[in-house]
mmCIF file of all heavy atoms in Angstrom:
data_model
loop_
_atom_site.group_PDB
_atom_site.id
_atom_site.type_symbol
_atom_site.label_atom_id
_atom_site.label_comp_id
_atom_site.label_asym_id
_atom_site.label_seq_id
_atom_site.Cartn_x
_atom_site.Cartn_y
_atom_site.Cartn_z
ATOM 1 N N GLY A 22 130.777 57.922 39.488
ATOM 2 C CA GLY A 22 130.410 58.577 38.240
ATOM 3 C C GLY A 22 130.529 57.677 37.028
ATOM 4 O O GLY A 22 131.523 56.959 36.859
ATOM 5 N N PHE A 23 129.510 57.697 36.153
ATOM 6 C CA PHE A 23 129.531 56.990 34.873
ATOM 7 C C PHE A 23 129.814 55.500 35.046
ATOM 8 O O PHE A 23 130.571 54.901 34.289
ATOM 9 C CB PHE A 23 130.563 57.618 33.935
ATOM 10 C CG PHE A 23 130.387 59.092 33.751
ATOM 11 C CD1 PHE A 23 131.276 59.993 34.314
ATOM 12 C CD2 PHE A 23 129.310 59.589 33.045
ATOM 13 C CE1 PHE A 23 131.100 61.361 34.161
ATOM 14 C CE2 PHE A 23 129.128 60.955 32.881
ATOM 15 C CZ PHE A 23 130.025 61.834 33.443
ATOM 16 N N ARG A 24 129.181 54.918 36.061
ATOM 17 C CA ARG A 24 129.316 53.486 36.301
ATOM 18 C C ARG A 24 127.931 52.863 36.420
ATOM 19 O O ARG A 24 127.025 53.480 36.983
ATOM 20 C CB ARG A 24 130.132 53.220 37.570
ATOM 21 C CG ARG A 24 131.573 53.678 37.480
ATOM 22 C CD ARG A 24 132.332 53.360 38.753
ATOM 23 N NE ARG A 24 132.325 51.937 39.043
ATOM 24 C CZ ARG A 24 132.747 51.407 40.202
ATOM 25 N NH1 ARG A 24 133.182 52.202 41.159
ATOM 26 N NH2 ARG A 24 132.704 50.096 40.384
ATOM 27 N N PRO A 25 127.751 51.648 35.910
ATOM 28 C CA PRO A 25 126.422 51.013 35.963
ATOM 29 C C PRO A 25 125.959 50.796 37.397
ATOM 30 O O PRO A 25 126.731 50.359 38.264
ATOM 31 C CB PRO A 25 126.639 49.677 35.232
ATOM 32 C CG PRO A 25 128.116 49.441 35.242
ATOM 33 C CD PRO A 25 128.750 50.795 35.229
ATOM 34 N N GLY A 26 124.702 51.112 37.652
ATOM 35 C CA GLY A 26 124.123 50.886 38.964
ATOM 36 C C GLY A 26 124.568 51.865 40.024
ATOM 37 O O GLY A 26 124.334 51.638 41.223
ATOM 38 N N ARG A 27 125.215 52.974 39.609
ATOM 39 C CA ARG A 27 125.682 53.964 40.581
ATOM 40 C C ARG A 27 125.153 55.336 40.197
ATOM 41 O O ARG A 27 124.830 55.588 39.043
ATOM 42 C CB ARG A 27 127.209 53.969 40.662
ATOM 43 C CG ARG A 27 127.712 52.704 41.325
ATOM 44 C CD ARG A 27 129.218 52.594 41.352
ATOM 45 N NE ARG A 27 129.555 51.542 42.299
ATOM 46 C CZ ARG A 27 130.009 51.753 43.525
ATOM 47 N NH1 ARG A 27 130.204 52.981 43.956
ATOM 48 N NH2 ARG A 27 130.264 50.750 44.328
ATOM 49 N N SER A 28 125.086 56.234 41.178
ATOM 50 C CA SER A 28 124.437 57.514 40.934
ATOM 51 C C SER A 28 124.964 58.575 41.884
ATOM 52 O O SER A 28 125.659 58.276 42.865
ATOM 53 C CB SER A 28 122.919 57.377 41.143
ATOM 54 O OG SER A 28 122.645 57.071 42.510
ATOM 55 N N THR A 29 124.602 59.814 41.591
ATOM 56 C CA THR A 29 124.962 60.908 42.490
ATOM 57 C C THR A 29 124.293 60.730 43.851
ATOM 58 O O THR A 29 124.874 61.071 44.875
ATOM 59 C CB THR A 29 124.538 62.254 41.891
ATOM 60 O OG1 THR A 29 123.146 62.204 41.547
ATOM 61 C CG2 THR A 29 125.347 62.581 40.647
ATOM 62 N N ARG A 30 123.076 60.203 43.846
ATOM 63 C CA ARG A 30 122.380 60.008 45.126
ATOM 64 C C ARG A 30 123.135 59.022 46.015
ATOM 65 O O ARG A 30 123.256 59.219 47.231
ATOM 66 C CB ARG A 30 120.954 59.521 44.882
ATOM 67 C CG ARG A 30 120.132 59.406 46.154
ATOM 68 C CD ARG A 30 118.664 59.143 45.870
ATOM 69 N NE ARG A 30 118.040 60.267 45.196
ATOM 70 C CZ ARG A 30 116.738 60.330 44.939
ATOM 71 N NH1 ARG A 30 115.940 59.339 45.289
ATOM 72 N NH2 ARG A 30 116.232 61.381 44.332
ATOM 73 N N MET A 31 123.678 57.959 45.418
ATOM 74 C CA MET A 31 124.463 56.999 46.186
ATOM 75 C C MET A 31 125.736 57.647 46.723
ATOM 76 O O MET A 31 126.159 57.376 47.851
ATOM 77 C CB MET A 31 124.811 55.794 45.313
ATOM 78 C CG MET A 31 123.614 54.948 44.919
ATOM 79 S SD MET A 31 124.057 53.653 43.733
ATOM 80 C CE MET A 31 125.107 52.611 44.743
ATOM 81 N N ALA A 32 126.339 58.510 45.922
ATOM 82 C CA ALA A 32 127.539 59.214 46.370
ATOM 83 C C ALA A 32 127.229 60.098 47.578
ATOM 84 O O ALA A 32 127.997 60.150 48.548
ATOM 85 C CB ALA A 32 128.112 60.055 45.229
ATOM 86 N N MET A 33 126.090 60.787 47.541
ATOM 87 C CA MET A 33 125.720 61.654 48.662
ATOM 88 C C MET A 33 125.380 60.841 49.909
ATOM 89 O O MET A 33 125.628 61.281 51.036
ATOM 90 C CB MET A 33 124.554 62.554 48.265
ATOM 91 C CG MET A 33 124.887 63.570 47.181
ATOM 92 S SD MET A 33 126.357 64.580 47.526
ATOM 93 C CE MET A 33 125.861 65.418 49.040
ATOM 94 N N ARG A 34 124.828 59.653 49.728
ATOM 95 C CA ARG A 34 124.588 58.785 50.880
ATOM 96 C C ARG A 34 125.904 58.402 51.551
ATOM 97 O O ARG A 34 126.007 58.341 52.777
ATOM 98 C CB ARG A 34 123.839 57.524 50.444
ATOM 99 C CG ARG A 34 122.366 57.735 50.138
ATOM 100 C CD ARG A 34 121.745 56.441 49.662
ATOM 101 N NE ARG A 34 120.351 56.609 49.296
ATOM 102 C CZ ARG A 34 119.650 55.732 48.607
ATOM 103 N NH1 ARG A 34 120.229 54.610 48.194
ATOM 104 N NH2 ARG A 34 118.382 55.956 48.316
ATOM 105 N N ARG A 35 126.908 58.126 50.711
ATOM 106 C CA ARG A 35 128.220 57.779 51.272
ATOM 107 C C ARG A 35 128.800 58.970 52.034
ATOM 108 O O ARG A 35 129.374 58.813 53.110
ATOM 109 C CB ARG A 35 129.161 57.337 50.152
ATOM 110 C CG ARG A 35 130.619 57.117 50.575
ATOM 111 C CD ARG A 35 130.769 55.947 51.527
ATOM 112 N NE ARG A 35 130.611 54.685 50.846
ATOM 113 C CZ ARG A 35 131.603 54.007 50.264
ATOM 114 N NH1 ARG A 35 132.819 54.501 50.252
ATOM 115 N NH2 ARG A 35 131.377 52.834 49.701
ATOM 116 N N VAL A 36 128.675 60.177 51.479
ATOM 117 C CA VAL A 36 129.146 61.375 52.170
ATOM 118 C C VAL A 36 128.446 61.509 53.526
ATOM 119 O O VAL A 36 129.087 61.745 54.555
ATOM 120 C CB VAL A 36 128.893 62.635 51.320
ATOM 121 C CG1 VAL A 36 129.109 63.910 52.141
ATOM 122 C CG2 VAL A 36 129.805 62.644 50.095
ATOM 123 N N LYS A 37 127.141 61.353 53.526
ATOM 124 C CA LYS A 37 126.356 61.466 54.762
ATOM 125 C C LYS A 37 126.811 60.437 55.798
ATOM 126 O O LYS A 37 126.979 60.751 56.983
ATOM 127 C CB LYS A 37 124.870 61.277 54.449
ATOM 128 C CG LYS A 37 123.942 61.366 55.660
ATOM 129 C CD LYS A 37 122.494 61.280 55.208
ATOM 130 C CE LYS A 37 121.531 61.454 56.377
ATOM 131 N NZ LYS A 37 121.512 60.250 57.246
ATOM 132 N N ALA A 38 127.039 59.202 55.343
ATOM 133 C CA ALA A 38 127.462 58.147 56.258
ATOM 134 C C ALA A 38 128.806 58.484 56.902
ATOM 135 O O ALA A 38 128.986 58.328 58.118
ATOM 136 C CB ALA A 38 127.547 56.816 55.511
ATOM 137 N N HIS A 39 129.764 58.964 56.109
ATOM 138 C CA HIS A 39 131.081 59.307 56.651
ATOM 139 C C HIS A 39 130.980 60.474 57.638
ATOM 140 O O HIS A 39 131.642 60.478 58.683
ATOM 141 C CB HIS A 39 132.043 59.659 55.525
ATOM 142 C CG HIS A 39 132.501 58.469 54.732
ATOM 143 N ND1 HIS A 39 132.670 57.223 55.278
ATOM 144 C CD2 HIS A 39 132.829 58.348 53.414
ATOM 145 C CE1 HIS A 39 133.089 56.384 54.353
ATOM 146 N NE2 HIS A 39 133.189 57.041 53.209
ATOM 147 N N LEU A 40 130.174 61.473 57.323
ATOM 148 C CA LEU A 40 130.004 62.603 58.236
ATOM 149 C C LEU A 40 129.422 62.138 59.564
ATOM 150 O O LEU A 40 129.865 62.572 60.639
ATOM 151 C CB LEU A 40 129.097 63.663 57.599
ATOM 152 C CG LEU A 40 129.673 64.429 56.401
ATOM 153 C CD1 LEU A 40 128.590 65.276 55.741
ATOM 154 C CD2 LEU A 40 130.837 65.319 56.836
ATOM 155 N N GLU A 41 128.443 61.251 59.505
ATOM 156 C CA GLU A 41 127.820 60.753 60.734
ATOM 157 C C GLU A 41 128.758 59.861 61.532
ATOM 158 O O GLU A 41 128.594 59.702 62.740
ATOM 159 C CB GLU A 41 126.529 60.008 60.394
ATOM 160 C CG GLU A 41 125.426 60.940 59.893
ATOM 161 C CD GLU A 41 124.168 60.194 59.479
ATOM 162 O OE1 GLU A 41 124.276 58.975 59.176
ATOM 163 O OE2 GLU A 41 123.092 60.818 59.456
ATOM 164 N N GLU A 42 129.770 59.293 60.857
ATOM 165 C CA GLU A 42 130.778 58.479 61.545
ATOM 166 C C GLU A 42 131.839 59.338 62.220
ATOM 167 O O GLU A 42 132.715 58.813 62.913
ATOM 168 C CB GLU A 42 131.447 57.534 60.544
ATOM 169 C CG GLU A 42 130.540 56.428 60.026
ATOM 170 C CD GLU A 42 131.104 55.740 58.792
ATOM 171 O OE1 GLU A 42 132.203 56.163 58.331
ATOM 172 O OE2 GLU A 42 130.470 54.805 58.283
ATOM 173 N N GLY A 43 131.787 60.650 62.011
ATOM 174 C CA GLY A 43 132.744 61.545 62.653
ATOM 175 C C GLY A 43 133.818 62.096 61.746
ATOM 176 O O GLY A 43 134.726 62.803 62.211
ATOM 177 N N TYR A 44 133.729 61.819 60.455
ATOM 178 C CA TYR A 44 134.707 62.345 59.493
ATOM 179 C C TYR A 44 134.193 63.696 58.997
ATOM 180 O O TYR A 44 133.636 63.812 57.901
ATOM 181 C CB TYR A 44 134.920 61.352 58.357
ATOM 182 C CG TYR A 44 135.511 60.048 58.839
ATOM 183 C CD1 TYR A 44 134.688 59.013 59.290
ATOM 184 C CD2 TYR A 44 136.891 59.870 58.894
ATOM 185 C CE1 TYR A 44 135.226 57.821 59.767
ATOM 186 C CE2 TYR A 44 137.441 58.689 59.364
ATOM 187 C CZ TYR A 44 136.602 57.673 59.806
ATOM 188 O OH TYR A 44 137.145 56.506 60.275
ATOM 189 N N THR A 45 134.386 64.706 59.830
ATOM 190 C CA THR A 45 133.714 65.995 59.627
ATOM 191 C C THR A 45 134.615 67.082 59.054
ATOM 192 O O THR A 45 134.161 68.208 58.838
ATOM 193 C CB THR A 45 133.117 66.480 60.958
ATOM 194 O OG1 THR A 45 134.152 66.510 61.956
ATOM 195 C CG2 THR A 45 132.002 65.551 61.420
ATOM 196 N N TRP A 46 135.889 66.759 58.810
ATOM 197 C CA TRP A 46 136.781 67.689 58.122
ATOM 198 C C TRP A 46 136.894 67.255 56.666
ATOM 199 O O TRP A 46 137.167 66.090 56.380
ATOM 200 C CB TRP A 46 138.160 67.722 58.785
ATOM 201 C CG TRP A 46 138.144 68.486 60.068
ATOM 202 C CD1 TRP A 46 137.918 67.996 61.323
ATOM 203 C CD2 TRP A 46 138.344 69.892 60.220
ATOM 204 N NE1 TRP A 46 137.958 69.008 62.251
ATOM 205 C CE2 TRP A 46 138.223 70.184 61.599
ATOM 206 C CE3 TRP A 46 138.602 70.932 59.333
ATOM 207 C CZ2 TRP A 46 138.359 71.474 62.097
ATOM 208 C CZ3 TRP A 46 138.751 72.218 59.825
ATOM 209 C CH2 TRP A 46 138.629 72.479 61.193
ATOM 210 N N VAL A 47 136.662 68.178 55.774
ATOM 211 C CA VAL A 47 136.515 67.837 54.365
ATOM 212 C C VAL A 47 137.582 68.534 53.525
ATOM 213 O O VAL A 47 137.777 69.751 53.641
ATOM 214 C CB VAL A 47 135.113 68.247 53.858
ATOM 215 C CG1 VAL A 47 134.955 67.881 52.382
ATOM 216 C CG2 VAL A 47 134.025 67.582 54.700
ATOM 217 N N VAL A 48 138.263 67.749 52.689
ATOM 218 C CA VAL A 48 139.136 68.322 51.668
ATOM 219 C C VAL A 48 138.310 68.381 50.386
ATOM 220 O O VAL A 48 137.977 67.349 49.802
ATOM 221 C CB VAL A 48 140.407 67.489 51.449
ATOM 222 C CG1 VAL A 48 141.360 68.228 50.507
ATOM 223 C CG2 VAL A 48 141.099 67.195 52.775
ATOM 224 N N ASP A 49 137.958 69.569 49.997
ATOM 225 C CA ASP A 49 137.134 69.815 48.811
ATOM 226 C C ASP A 49 138.080 70.084 47.639
ATOM 227 O O ASP A 49 138.761 71.110 47.605
ATOM 228 C CB ASP A 49 136.221 71.011 49.073
ATOM 229 C CG ASP A 49 135.229 71.263 47.948
ATOM 230 O OD1 ASP A 49 135.222 70.485 46.988
ATOM 231 O OD2 ASP A 49 134.468 72.240 48.036
ATOM 232 N N VAL A 50 138.142 69.152 46.684
ATOM 233 C CA VAL A 50 139.170 69.177 45.642
ATOM 234 C C VAL A 50 138.597 69.659 44.315
ATOM 235 O O VAL A 50 137.497 69.269 43.923
ATOM 236 C CB VAL A 50 139.795 67.777 45.452
ATOM 237 C CG1 VAL A 50 140.975 67.839 44.492
ATOM 238 C CG2 VAL A 50 140.220 67.188 46.796
#
């Protein structure tokens, strides 16, 4: 958030990558 060259879309890509790696339990804070 609020960093040059970064975006919400990039954040969601990271979420997707972790889920596909098997990190399927989520702590929603």
Side-chain angles (χ1 to χ4, degrees):
F23 306 108
R24 295 181 59 190
R27 290 176 166 257
S28 65
T29 53
R30 185 171 294 186
M31 293 173 67
M33 294 308 299
R34 285 178 183 166
R35 173 66 73 89
V36 168
K37 180 175 184 287
H39 287 327
L40 291 171
E41 291 177 338
E42 291 165 358
Y44 297 88
T45 54
W46 285 91
V47 180
V48 187
D49 186 2
V50 187

